[in-house]
Amino acid sequence: MGKMSVELDVFVGNTTIMDEEVYQFWLDGYTVADAVRVRMEGGVLQECEASAEVLHSDTMDQFRTFQMCERLLHCPSKLANQLLFQIPPHRQAMLIERYYAFDDAFVREVLGKKLSKGTKKDLDDVSAKTGITLKSCRRQFDNFKRVFKVVEELKGSLVENIQQHFLLSDKLARDYAAIVFFANNRFETGKRKLQYLSFQDFAFCAVQLINNWTVGAVDNMVEDMDVDLDKEFLQDLKDLKVLITDKDMLDQHKSLVCTALRGKTKVFNEMEANFKNLSRGLVNIAAKLMNAKDVRDFFIDLVEKFIEPCRSDRWTAGDIKLFLTHYTNSVHILDTFKHQVVWDRYMGVVKSCILKMYHD
Amino acid sequence: MPGKLKAKIVAGRHLPVMDRASDLTDAFVEVKFGNTTFKTDVYPKSLNPQWNSEWFKFEVDDEDLQDEPLQITVLDHDTYSANDAIGKVYIDIDPLLSSEAATVISGWFPIYDTIHGIRGEINVLVKVDLFNDLNRFRQSSCGVKFFCTTSIPRCYRAAMVHGFVEELVVNEDPEYQWIDRIRTPRASNEARQRLISLMSGELQRKIGLKVLEMGGNAVVGYLQCFDLEGESGLVVRAIGTACTLEKLSNSSAAAPPACNSPSKDIKEPPFSEDPNPNTHSSGPSTPLKTQTYSFSPSKSYSRQSSSSDTDLSLTPKTGMGSGGSAGKEGGPLKTLLRQQTQSALEQRGASSSRIFVRTREFPFFTLTSFPPGFLIHVGGVVSARSVKLLDRIHNPALGNTRSYKLLDWNSFAADEPETRDAWWEEIRQEIKSHARALGCHAVVGYSESTSICEEVCILSASGTAAVLHPKFMQEGCLDGYSDPSRLEEPSPPSCGFCHIPYDELNIPFPAHLTYCYHCRRQKVPDVLFTTIDMPAEAAVTGKGCLIQARLCRLKKKAQGEVNATAISNLLPFMEYELHTQLMNKLKLRGMNALFGLRIQISVGENMLVGLASATAVYLTALPTPGGIQIAGKTPSDITYEQHISNMQKKINDTIAKNKELYEVNPPEVIEEVIGSPIPEPRQRSRLFRSHSESSDEVSELDLSHGKKDAFVLEIDDTDAVEDIHSLLTDTPAPAGFYSCNTEIMPGIYNWTSGLQMFTSVRVFRLSNANLTNQGLNKIFNDLCENLLKSLYFKLRSMIPCCLCHLNFTVAVPEDELIQVAVTAVAMTFDKDQAQENWKLGADKTHMKAIVENEEQLQFPLELCTESPSTNPFSPCRGTGLQESANAHATPRAASVDYSSFADRWSSWIELIRLKAQTIRRGSIKTTSSLEKASPLPEGRSRSLRSTRSYAGSTVAVVKMTPLSFIPGTRIIKYLGIINMFFIRETTSLREEGGVSGFLHAFIAEVFAMVRAHVAALGGNAVVSYSMKECVFMENPNKNQAQCLINVSGDAVIFMRESELEATPAPPQTSCSGGEVTT
């Protein structure tokens, strides 16, 4: 035992000193001891002839600083107005951006889940599964929830609201918009069949849905405009059923598509053989969307009803694109079909989503 | 009514939730000044209330404006129960009272609560309309400017330096009043904060009065300290240097401020800025100081009339006489006080003439750097310490504890403040006589401090004995200096200050003198210790570095007089040890002078801790230091011999390495200076250990060791071995780092704009009860070294950089705790910039500066006329006065009475004999002084890359620095002094992150409040910032902690030089920074 122990050890700069690397350790939920170990392995000691003791002191100090800043980071606009820490704006931006950054592995686990206490309780499982520390999981979860709560009832664009309230970069704000959107509509993303999809796949789809299927797509001044799907539209989707229930129309649709694709794809025969199944699949998804429960299954349905059959027939992404383009456009020629607008609104999104989701 | 104070409460933001039910707050604000209170409306249900109140107007006299702070309390309205306080803001009105400072205070202030810390912010507007005061016998001293800066503030010029001002006020500490038992901690803390704010205001006003009396208009180097004497009360005391400052007009004068350029600003001293009460330097060592350890129980002092009291009481008298100021006081009590004061005064029979005598009694200057030509010679460090027993301040009138209105102490228990005054008076006399013994008539870089443990108090004062140019002084301010021969023939500015002020044939102590290695005309000592900053124009070789001597000594727990005596007995040994360490470390770095020396000795229940810090340099004018030679005492043993020779080798290697590191390569000189009429060195006893800062190095060994290395360390006891080990364990700063405790590092001129001020505090718990002195020393040494290492590591991104003004403060807050606090600033510099360019540029600039400064400093001659000397003091005062009369007087022999000195010297020697160590110094190879690297840098920093752009932030950026300038910028306005005192307490220590979390948050809060006040004054920086007090107490078992922090500095507006250049600014020609010795 040494003859002395450090009872108190603080360092306060007029400009708050923060090391990005240490900040990341803190965000990642490292203990001080772990952070010190990793820093030592990183060779920082050689930089300044420091000892483990010095490193420990520095790490403690910074962890404490971050902890004190955390309260402000919960409401990032305060960070720019607060007087306690003098932090240059570019550093403030870095602090906020990193604080709100999340791990893809984590977000995939909670995407579409209700941001409730129950979900939070399960975070230790998520932690165990992803290898992300529980502390970090909690921070990320709380961030999702905080953003969700703030923008939930605001008017105007979801992305802009997030950006304005949380001072995030464009990219990160879009990601949060996707998270909020998914959480609000409780889309199922966790099924095994969806595991191959990345968060960015879903985020892309979310943008499509937000831009085309929400209330905000038609009226940009209502509450929750970007969060809730347009009920009227969902209702109208039922009308698309005629495309599969009217046999004439179905046949005509098929022949138009086949005519257009003949000779242009290697999977023409498979397409031709499968056309009715695929079309039924897509139209049925549309027709069911008026039920909230089926909205949740939107992605799994796309995979099961469309992506998997195509994949088993070894369609290429190009084949998919070609097919969906003609599949959508051919409907315009069906003069008995009266729901062109709804069809386009539906298929535009479905096509983009499927194209994004069609990969290994 | 000489003034109208107006305040407007605009808005609040980020308020805490006070009503849990609604998650909101119904806030309103009380605005209080003196006894008048206004309230805003309640702004319901908001955390960001917009009160937008009317202007609240207070009609008050300016005396109150100076004493009282504006007190703003934010509360949560509660219909059914008492309103809950959210927090308070105290705003010091003083900056608005000077026409040249701020005109309005406007901005967001943190709302502070002593239990919860900062709780949101409030936007406030404050203005003052001052009416012309027709009453010339006023109590107030509105308009006198105060500066913490210990040099002539940039953008001013000193028309006259009047001299030393001091004052102290005493009160009971609310924390120890009976009522404290029944009130909440919050109420108690607030009472204390408010009392200290009042006392500070009063103190400042009284000092201001003295300044006016002397004909000055400003106090520079203002140093205010608190003595928390516990049961026996609360003392607030201040010292400063009264000056008449003239604002430099923008066009012609902008030149001198040019010195902001980092390069020349070699000015601010480490010293005054951190006047920690505990810290202070003791003299390095004049042998003289031994006798200072007098121990006198306070009781023995009765009514000596002391300087400050006299002055205090005098003013009221005049005020009464004119009838003008009576009755404007708050109440009958005060009037009563006045009357008492008056009578007390009469009893004492003080006459107004006494004031004039008194003000010149102490030729002390708290400045640490000086206008060119001011400083002629430096004698060395003088210091005095004294151990006192505190006694309860008896104050019948204050028995009723709730009056926080400051009472004029003198009128009550006249004994008490006089006791404190008498203590300081005694010490100052001591200092004065030490200076005189060194042939000096003034003390510069002067500071005072205390260390208190229970009922024992160590008072310390130290400074640098110096000879100043009389024409800068008000008549009679200095006396006793003669030897005009030196004046006759002005020495070169780069070495003149090193020339000995004392008579070489009548040296007060053994010293080794040689002819100046720079000019060869005058004698210089071989080592020079000072408490001031290195004069800008001093010629140095290489770079400087921070040197620390660290020491702990165990002491038995004791009470009362026994304890005080024990401490008194220990002190000389400690000083001696510290001095030895300093000297060894200086030699080890191959350097020959110390600047900014600050020796702090702190007392605890069972130990004394000493810490000396200084910046070592190689002055080109002084001889090359000899090495350190180790001598064994028992040469018989072969292994021992081996051991010795190993150590010797290590030492030699270290010296060589250091010389390289700090670029100390004076040209070797083959020949001894011709005809050096050095007094024959006498063979001295084996003791050496330089005890005189200056140069009283004993040269005893000169003959015996011939021309070899001198400074022999004889290893004859464990102490010496320990010494050597500690010498060698000091690790140099990592590559790219330099450090110093002066304003800037000698040898670095090309500062860039990177700036990071910081405070670091560590408390160590000694867990082993059976510590030896050696063990304790090692712990303390490691503590300081590790702290430095941590700082280097923290700031590594700034490399190449220099930690400037590194100011350590030690305390022993409890039995087994040692606390070290550091405040400093890290500044970047451009490593690649060719030094040569700087030097070349510097020479030219320098010459110009000399010329211009000469012009600038012409004082009206009548100020220097001879005056009859009233000083009863020195035998030589006649000559001194004469001297001051004529700027370049005819030579006269200085005659200083050294007799008493000699006695002290011999007792000192006795003392040292007790120590079995011998350190001897011998002769030194002479070096040619041809290299005059005049290190004056060019006027401005070349690279103006701005460190950070804070654009977009809604909070104004406020820089803070312990230095008097910011590199690459020019200070265009001083807005007033910042002097703030805060208490923070917690009863949920664990929840706040333990002691570290608690203190971390508190220090950050203090910074935030300082910045907010500066920003509200319209400023963008605090210069000469210091944390003068950081008293931390904890009780982890009760989950409680409390901390008191006192900070000060000067609020300023600065502009980047690049911006100034863009506007039609005057050419930056002269450097006022350059000092010229005539």
Side-chain angles (χ1 to χ4, degrees):
Chain A
M1 284 302 292
K3 282 178 178 173
M4 67 174 181
S5 58
V6 178
E7 179 93 359
L8 179 160
D9 177 10
V10 299
F11 176 101
V12 188
N14 184 39
T15 302
T16 307
I17 293 185
M18 298 176 183
D19 182 316
E20 290 190 39
E21 186 197 31
V22 181
Y23 185 45
Q24 196 57 53
F25 291 143
W26 178 74
L27 289 173
D28 290 343
Y30 282 50
T31 60
V32 172
D34 285 347
V36 168
R37 192 174 39 73
V38 178
R39 291 181 83 186
M40 275 163 80
E41 286 163 5
V44 72
L45 286 185
Q46 278 79 57
E47 266 181 50
C48 211
E49 304 166 28
S51 62
E53 213 175 313
V54 164
L55 210 52
H56 186 263
S57 155
D58 178 61
T59 309
M60 276 290 277
D61 212 76
Q62 296 208 44
F63 271 43
R64 205 162 44 230
T65 306
F66 300 137
Q67 214 170 321
M68 285 193 269
C69 282
E70 190 165 18
R71 184 178 54 84
L72 298 165
L73 288 165
H74 290 166
C75 180
S77 57
K78 274 190 189 164
L79 195 62
N81 284 323
Q82 53 85 33
L83 303 176
L84 190 58
F85 298 104
Q86 188 155 277
I87 305 170
H90 69 275
R91 304 288 288 172
Q92 290 182 14
M94 180 279 291
L95 286 179
I96 295 167
E97 193 76 5
R98 295 256 190 123
Y99 189 78
Y100 283 91
F102 49 81
D103 293 307
D104 278 356
F106 174 79
V107 72
R108 278 296 279 109
E109 294 299 317
V110 292
L111 191 65
K113 285 188 183 154
K114 198 174 175 188
L115 300 175
S116 63
K117 286 204 176 114
T119 311
K120 195 172 178 180
K121 269 186 199 140
D122 297 337
L123 287 182
D124 39 3
D125 293 340
V126 175
S127 171
K129 184 175 170 193
T130 58
I132 298 165
T133 61
L134 183 58
K135 190 173 167 246
S136 179
C137 288
R138 290 201 174 127
R139 171 181 59 84
Q140 299 183 42
F141 181 83
D142 289 342
N143 283 343
F144 295 168
K145 191 169 176 181
R146 191 176 316 112
V147 174
F148 183 91
K149 284 195 116 179
V150 167
V151 299
E152 199 177 20
E153 313 207 319
L154 291 174
K155 291 178 184 172
S157 151
L158 183 56
V159 175
E160 280 170 28
N161 283 338
I162 292 172
Q163 241 176 330
Q164 196 182 333
H165 279 84
F166 293 92
L167 309 176
L168 302 180
S169 67
D170 202 51
K171 166 81 173 63
L172 195 53
R174 273 172 211 288
D175 287 349
Y176 266 93
I179 291 164
V180 169
F181 183 74
F182 269 68
N184 190 59
N185 292 289
R186 312 274 301 281
F187 288 109
E188 174 61 63
T189 66
K191 287 270 164 60
R192 202 179 47 79
K193 283 179 179 170
L194 294 176
Q195 285 306 315
Y196 79 99
L197 292 169
S198 71
F199 169 71
Q200 286 308 326
D201 293 335
F202 285 116
F204 175 86
C205 297
V207 172
Q208 300 304 312
L209 268 74
I210 290 169
N211 289 342
N212 297 288
W213 287 5
T214 59
V215 194
V218 280
D219 177 356
N220 58 7
M221 276 322 292
V222 283
E223 274 184 21
D224 293 346
M225 65 172 215
D226 284 348
V227 187
D228 292 339
L229 295 175
D230 183 352
K231 290 263 159 47
E232 259 175 70
F233 165 69
L234 298 181
Q235 207 70 35
D236 293 345
L237 286 175
K238 272 193 306 187
D239 301 337
L240 301 181
K241 267 203 132 174
V242 68
L243 285 172
I244 48 171
T245 50
D246 182 328
K247 193 166 180 306
D248 289 347
M249 210 180 282
L250 182 58
D251 289 340
Q252 200 185 348
H253 191 187
K254 178 179 173 184
S255 73
L256 284 168
V257 173
C258 289
T259 310
L261 291 189
R262 195 181 307 274
K264 292 184 179 162
T265 167
K266 286 178 181 165
V267 291
F268 180 80
N269 292 334
E270 291 86 344
M271 183 274 292
E272 192 176 29
N274 249 335
F275 181 87
K276 289 187 179 175
N277 272 340
L278 294 176
S279 187
R280 274 195 203 103
L282 291 176
V283 174
N284 276 328
I285 291 172
K288 292 193 308 180
L289 280 179
M290 50 176 299
N291 305 317
K293 162 78 182 65
D294 292 307
V295 168
R296 292 182 198 170
D297 289 338
F298 177 67
F299 293 100
I300 189 91
D301 286 346
L302 284 183
V303 169
E304 286 177 351
K305 301 286 158 53
F306 191 88
I307 293 173
E308 282 184 347
C310 294
R311 196 186 280 145
S312 67
D313 284 344
R314 301 180 180 276
W315 292 33
T316 65
D319 295 333
I320 298 277
K321 184 171 185 185
L322 198 64
F323 172 78
L324 287 175
T325 305
H326 289 284
Y327 175 75
T328 307
N329 293 344
S330 300
V331 169
H332 298 160
I333 309 170
L334 302 170
D335 15 304
T336 48
F337 185 69
K338 302 296 178 201
H339 312 287
Q340 303 290 356
V341 177
V342 175
W343 173 251
D344 282 348
R345 191 174 171 189
Y346 174 70
M347 276 312 292
V349 170
V350 167
K351 183 184 156 193
S352 310
C353 290
I354 289 175
L355 287 176
K356 187 73 185 174
M357 293 162 69
Y358 195 76
H359 62 78
D360 295 331
Chain B
M1 275 315 151
K4 189 183 278 181
L5 169 66
K6 300 189 296 183
K8 182 183 171 88
I9 307 299
V10 183
R13 68 181 182 195
H14 308 154
L15 295 189
V17 170
M18 298 299 282
D19 177 3
R20 300 224 179 254
S22 66
D23 265 6
L24 289 168
T25 295
D26 303 320
F28 70 101
V29 181
E30 277 182 10
V31 186
K32 186 176 176 195
F33 190 82
N35 295 322
T36 314
T37 305
F38 294 102
K39 284 182 191 176
T40 67
D41 296 333
V42 173
Y43 193 94
K45 307 209 179 311
S46 172
L47 299 182
N48 300 289
Q50 305 290 318
W51 292 288
N52 215 0
S53 79
E54 60 187 297
W55 283 97
F56 300 122
K57 295 176 184 145
F58 302 87
E59 298 193 334
V60 285
D61 57 40
D62 48 359
E63 181 186 344
D64 284 340
L65 283 174
Q66 286 193 290
D67 287 5
E68 297 257 359
L70 180 67
Q71 183 180 321
I72 293 167
T73 311
V74 185
L75 299 110
D76 177 48
H77 175 75
D78 198 327
T79 318
Y80 304 106
S81 60
N83 298 325
D84 292 326
I86 296 172
K88 286 184 190 264
V89 179
Y90 293 100
I91 300 178
D92 182 9
I93 305 303
D94 223 44
L96 296 180
L97 304 181
S98 162
S99 52
E100 283 168 43
T103 54
V104 63
I105 296 176
S106 165
W108 290 98
F109 291 88
I111 301 167
Y112 182 72
D113 177 73
T114 61
I115 305 294
H116 294 104
I118 290 178
R119 305 174 97 190
E121 290 124 34
I122 184 168
N123 194 294
V124 180
L125 263 169
V126 184
K127 288 181 179 178
V128 170
D129 293 335
L130 272 186
F131 311 137
N132 276 338
D133 191 357
L134 299 177
N135 172 18
R136 61 192 193 88
F137 301 107
R138 55 192 188 153
Q139 301 281 305
S140 81
S141 52
C142 286
V144 173
K145 291 180 284 292
F146 284 77
F147 300 91
C148 294
T149 297
T150 57
S151 54
I152 301 304
R154 285 128 224 272
C155 76
Y156 287 96
R157 136 193 133 87
M160 176 70 68
V161 178
H162 301 277
F164 190 59
V165 281
E166 47 79 35
E167 186 62 87
L168 64 78
V169 292
V170 182
N171 207 324
E172 235 178 314
D173 190 337
E175 184 100 338
Y176 294 87
Q177 288 166 331
W178 67 267
I179 195 169
D180 206 58
R181 274 172 250 153
I182 56 170
R183 67 182 161 194
T184 64
R186 175 182 285 116
S188 172
N189 292 338
E190 285 176 1
R192 256 176 137 188
Q193 285 189 166
R194 179 163 148 70
L195 175 68
I196 287 185
S197 175
L198 278 172
M199 288 172 80
S200 303
E202 181 190 292
L203 194 67
Q204 218 170 307
R205 173 172 59 81
K206 287 181 169 173
I207 292 231
L209 280 172
K210 290 187 173 180
V211 172
L212 291 175
E213 200 105 38
M214 293 163 104
N217 65 3
V219 182
V220 293
Y222 185 66
L223 170 60
Q224 184 195 281
C225 295
F226 300 94
D227 297 332
L228 299 170
E229 297 185 352
E231 288 285 323
S232 64
L234 187 60
V235 176
V236 185
R237 57 191 165 78
I239 57 175
T241 304
C243 294
T244 301
L245 297 184
E246 284 174 9
K247 189 137 171 93
L248 294 166
S249 72
N250 239 4
S251 48
S252 69
C259 30
N260 322 340
S261 56
S263 22
K264 331 192 143 151
D265 291 334
I266 309 201
K267 323 205 131 169
E268 246 15 302
F271 234 73
S272 45
E273 327 209 24
D274 344 15
N276 302 351
N278 292 342
T279 349
H280 263 336
S281 33
S282 71
S285 41
T286 348
L288 315 181
K289 75 188 140 143
T290 349
Q291 72 83 214
T292 326
Y293 302 106
S294 56
F295 156 56
S296 54
S298 59
K299 297 152 200 157
S300 64
Y301 282 95
S302 54
R303 303 172 60 95
Q304 295 192 3
S305 75
S306 78
S307 46
S308 52
D309 302 336
T310 312
D311 210 84
L312 288 195
S313 14
L314 198 72
T315 319
K317 181 192 179 188
T318 16
M320 289 296 286
S322 75
S325 54
K328 43 181 187 181
E329 297 309 83
L333 179 61
K334 186 113 184 189
T335 313
L336 177 68
L337 287 182
R338 290 261 169 93
Q339 283 160 358
Q340 287 182 348
T341 306
Q342 189 177 0
S343 60
L345 177 72
E346 279 156 5
Q347 278 165 18
R348 239 179 264 164
S351 68
S352 63
S353 70
R354 179 171 152 76
I355 285 179
F356 293 108
V357 177
R358 190 200 51 76
T359 52
R360 292 167 188 65
E361 208 168 299
F362 296 109
F364 295 173
F365 301 86
T366 53
L367 302 178
T368 56
S369 70
F370 308 90
F374 190 94
L375 191 65
I376 300 178
H377 300 304
V378 168
V381 171
V382 284
S383 76
R385 283 181 210 280
S386 145
V387 181
K388 301 290 185 189
L389 265 188
L390 299 172
D391 201 8
R392 185 168 178 81
I393 295 176
H394 173 68
N395 182 8
L398 285 182
N400 170 354
T401 47
R402 31 157 279 115
S403 79
Y404 302 128
K405 176 70 195 166
L406 255 212
L407 298 174
D408 189 339
W409 253 108
N410 306 309
S411 47
F412 286 104
D415 286 355
E416 288 303 337
E418 286 200 359
T419 301
R420 300 296 184 277
D421 261 336
W423 289 354
W424 287 111
E425 165 105 10
E426 180 189 57
I427 282 196
R428 289 171 192 146
Q429 289 293 359
E430 193 64 41
I431 291 276
K432 188 176 166 182
S433 67
H434 290 350
R436 195 169 298 284
L438 285 170
C440 295
H441 61 173
V443 176
V444 295
Y446 179 73
S447 66
E448 296 175 347
S449 64
T450 57
S451 171
I452 296 171
C453 177
E454 301 289 324
E455 54 186 359
V456 172
C457 175
I458 302 180
L459 309 183
S460 309
S462 78
T464 303
V467 174
L468 305 179
H469 202 295
K471 74 175 177 178
F472 291 70
M473 259 8 90
Q474 193 167 24
E475 38 152 324
C477 180
L478 299 175
D479 55 16
Y481 174 68
S482 61
D483 191 6
S485 60
R486 294 199 178 89
L487 291 179
E488 225 179 4
E489 202 187 334
S491 316
S494 50
C495 64
F497 73 95
C498 306
H499 300 164
I500 53 164
Y502 35 86
D503 180 353
E504 72 179 74
L505 298 175
N506 194 9
I507 310 179
F509 41 78
H512 184 90
L513 303 177
T514 52
Y515 271 110
C516 173
Y517 278 58
H518 194 263
C519 69
R520 307 256 168 198
R521 281 186 281 173
Q522 306 274 345
K523 293 290 176 55
V524 294
D526 53 352
V527 177
L528 186 63
F529 284 15
T530 74
T531 59
I532 57 173
D533 267 8
M534 191 178 80
E537 65 280 358
V540 290
T541 302
K543 295 190 170 66
C545 68
L546 178 77
I547 282 189
Q548 287 193 322
R550 303 146 185 157
L551 186 68
C552 288
R553 279 294 171 262
L554 292 166
K555 144 187 120 52
K556 287 212 176 75
K557 279 192 194 181
Q559 302 277 309
E561 299 193 11
V562 177
N563 192 24
T565 309
I567 293 169
S568 298
N569 290 340
L570 267 173
L571 282 177
F573 289 99
M574 292 197 65
E575 298 236 22
Y576 173 82
E577 282 289 318
L578 287 169
H579 189 267
T580 305
Q581 274 191 38
L582 282 177
M583 190 60 83
N584 287 342
K585 290 185 177 182
L586 182 65
K587 301 280 176 197
L588 202 62
R589 282 163 181 81
M591 300 181 189
N592 57 21
L594 293 182
F595 289 94
L597 178 62
R598 201 162 159 275
I599 301 180
Q600 188 193 358
I601 294 184
S602 284
V603 57
E605 286 207 26
N606 58 351
M607 69 175 114
L608 289 170
V609 181
L611 180 63
S613 305
T615 300
V617 292
Y618 185 101
L619 283 177
T620 313
L622 266 48
T624 307
I628 296 174
Q629 189 177 328
I630 299 182
K633 206 184 178 188
T634 48
S636 51
D637 188 342
I638 292 179
T639 56
Y640 186 69
E641 289 278 280
Q642 189 105 40
H643 177 62
I644 298 264
S645 78
N646 279 343
M647 278 219 272
Q648 182 69 57
K649 185 170 180 307
K650 262 191 203 164
I651 287 182
N652 294 345
D653 291 350
T654 309
I655 293 178
K657 223 165 42 187
N658 279 330
K659 282 187 173 176
E660 195 178 326
L661 184 62
Y662 301 110
E663 297 157 34
V664 180
N665 339 297
E668 282 287 319
V669 174
I670 315 107
E671 223 186 318
E672 178 87 359
V673 186
I674 308 151
S676 157
I678 299 165
E680 276 290 284
R682 286 168 293 159
Q683 182 84 23
R684 248 151 207 277
S685 57
R686 33 201 309 253
L687 61 104
F688 166 55
R689 300 283 201 174
S690 44
H691 337 283
S692 55
E693 33 322 37
S694 45
S695 48
D696 43 353
E697 295 318 296
V698 185
S699 51
E700 73 273 8
L701 282 194
D702 218 312
L703 293 182
S704 56
H705 275 251
K707 307 296 179 217
K708 291 190 297 180
D709 284 339
F711 210 72
V712 176
L713 269 175
E714 192 167 299
I715 311 188
D716 49 5
D717 61 10
T718 42
D719 275 10
V721 174
E722 185 199 330
D723 280 354
I724 292 166
H725 278 296
S726 73
L727 268 185
L728 296 171
T729 51
D730 270 12
T731 41
F737 270 112
Y738 291 91
S739 54
C740 60
N741 76 333
T742 47
E743 279 236 313
I744 58 170
M745 171 65 108
I748 297 179
Y749 311 110
N750 33 353
W751 301 103
T752 50
S753 54
L755 192 73
Q756 171 68 278
M757 188 282 293
F758 59 87
T759 290
S760 185
V761 181
R762 285 192 184 182
V763 175
F764 290 73
R765 183 173 290 281
L766 308 166
S767 47
N768 186 336
N770 301 319
L771 279 174
T772 58
N773 275 335
Q774 280 86 348
L776 202 55
N777 271 345
K778 175 151 189 345
I779 287 171
F780 183 46
N781 202 53
D782 289 351
L783 189 166
C784 294
E785 284 288 314
N786 287 338
L787 184 48
L788 279 170
K789 279 183 200 159
S790 273
L791 298 180
Y792 295 135
F793 183 76
K794 278 268 183 211
L795 298 160
R796 66 194 185 285
S797 67
M798 293 179 78
I799 286 178
C801 89
C802 181
L803 305 191
C804 297
H805 211 284
L806 256 179
N807 180 25
F808 278 64
T809 312
V810 289
V812 189
E814 276 172 48
D815 243 11
E816 282 164 347
L817 297 183
I818 299 182
Q819 175 187 318
V820 179
V822 188
T823 296
V825 62
M827 299 206 297
T828 55
F829 63 91
D830 189 349
K831 195 170 68 178
D832 300 326
Q833 190 141 15
Q835 288 286 315
E836 297 312 312
N837 290 345
W838 285 102
K839 287 181 182 170
L840 285 177
D843 270 342
K844 274 190 194 163
T845 332
H846 191 196
M847 291 319 292
K848 227 186 225 170
I850 293 173
V851 176
E852 298 193 6
N853 287 327
E854 278 296 307
E855 284 164 9
Q856 231 180 68
L857 289 161
Q858 287 310 322
F859 295 119
L861 217 79
E862 61 269 25
L863 292 176
C864 306
T865 53
E866 201 167 337
S867 73
S869 148
T870 37
N871 191 321
F873 230 84
S874 73
C876 54
R877 91 181 165 229
T879 41
L881 279 173
Q882 199 109 28
E883 231 286 295
S884 45
N886 315 309
H888 300 274
T890 44
R892 224 178 256 241
S895 66
V896 180
D897 180 3
Y898 290 125
S899 59
S900 69
F901 179 77
D903 290 343
R904 282 179 228 154
W905 174 230
S906 55
S907 64
W908 173 250
I909 289 176
E910 284 302 317
L911 174 74
I912 290 169
R913 283 216 174 99
L914 297 175
K915 275 272 173 191
Q917 266 163 298
T918 303
I919 297 182
R920 297 169 296 179
R921 269 195 68 254
S923 71
I924 289 142
K925 282 184 195 136
T926 47
T927 340
S928 88
S929 61
L930 293 180
E931 176 182 79
K932 323 173 198 200
S934 156
L936 268 190
E938 208 170 78
R940 70 188 84 123
S941 132
R942 289 269 156 88
S943 93
L944 293 167
R945 67 176 133 102
S946 68
T947 21
R948 287 142 194 154
S949 82
Y950 284 88
S953 171
T954 55
V955 178
V957 173
V958 175
K959 300 211 175 215
M960 293 170 72
T961 175
L963 309 188
S964 62
F965 69 95
I966 295 171
T969 69
R970 193 179 302 170
I971 292 171
I972 56 172
K973 196 172 186 186
Y974 282 83
L975 299 166
I977 199 168
I978 297 284
N979 185 7
M980 302 170 89
F981 176 85
F982 298 103
I983 300 177
R984 182 86 151 76
E985 184 165 351
T986 183
T987 49
S988 50
L989 190 57
R990 275 186 295 277
E991 295 77 359
E992 293 191 35
V995 286
S996 294
F998 170 72
L999 191 62
H1000 192 141
F1002 185 34
I1003 293 173
E1005 284 168 349
V1006 169
F1007 285 4
M1009 288 184 279
V1010 169
R1011 288 192 301 254
H1013 279 77
V1014 171
L1017 289 170
N1020 57 4
V1022 191
V1023 296
S1024 299
Y1025 168 83
S1026 74
M1027 186 169 79
K1028 291 183 295 190
E1029 194 93 55
C1030 177
V1031 183
F1032 176 77
M1033 289 155 288
E1034 57 169 324
N1035 189 341
N1037 296 333
K1038 285 188 175 173
N1039 206 18
Q1040 288 175 345
Q1042 191 192 39
C1043 187
L1044 293 75
I1045 288 183
N1046 177 217
V1047 296
S1048 67
D1050 295 326
V1052 301
I1053 303 176
F1054 72 84
M1055 279 182 84
R1056 296 238 154 253
E1057 284 181 349
S1058 49
E1059 293 164 14
L1060 285 165
E1061 276 156 20
T1063 63
Q1068 221 172 355
T1069 40
S1070 84
C1071 82
S1072 71
E1075 278 139 42
V1076 179
T1077 319
T1078 50

